[in-house]
Amino acid sequence: MTTLFVRHAVSDYRTWRKVYDTFSAIQKANGVTAEAVYQAIDNPNDVTVTHEFATLEAAQAFTKLEELGEAMRNGGVVGTPTVWFTSKV
């Protein structure tokens, strides 16, 4: 199992969350088996998202989806996200 972590700033959490919640079907269609959203305690617009995949290749392919980039822009992501992959041991 591979977990994709994405940390980014958003201009407004509520706006971002609405877009994120409508993206669920695309997540599932592209291999996401579980997901979670976290906010920094001192800044609700500092968001970290995790997505689990069966393989690293599926996780990497997901990060390259045009729909994902569009959703991030529509959700108000600010700057360049920090992205990393992990595997459960």
Side-chain angles (χ1 to χ4, degrees), residues 10-88:
V10 298
S11 55
D12 177 73
Y13 176 78
R14 288 182 187 161
T15 299
W16 175 86
R17 188 63 196 229
K18 287 177 186 175
V19 173
Y20 181 83
D21 288 344
T22 64
F23 202 67
S24 178
I26 295 171
Q27 290 174 352
K28 290 182 196 283
N30 287 279
V32 175
T33 59
E35 53 83 27
V37 175
Y38 303 89
Q39 287 178 296
I41 291 173
D42 60 346
N43 180 359
N45 292 324
D46 180 351
V47 179
T48 300
V49 178
T50 63
H51 293 96
E52 293 183 10
F53 297 85
T55 66
L56 174 60
E57 293 77 18
Q60 291 171 326
F62 181 78
T63 66
K64 296 174 184 167
L65 291 175
E66 287 183 37
E67 298 95 335
L68 177 60
E70 182 179 328
M72 291 175 81
R73 284 187 295 278
N74 291 341
V77 171
V78 178
T80 304
T82 301
V83 177
W84 69 98
F85 304 91
T86 64
S87 60
K88 194 170 189 176

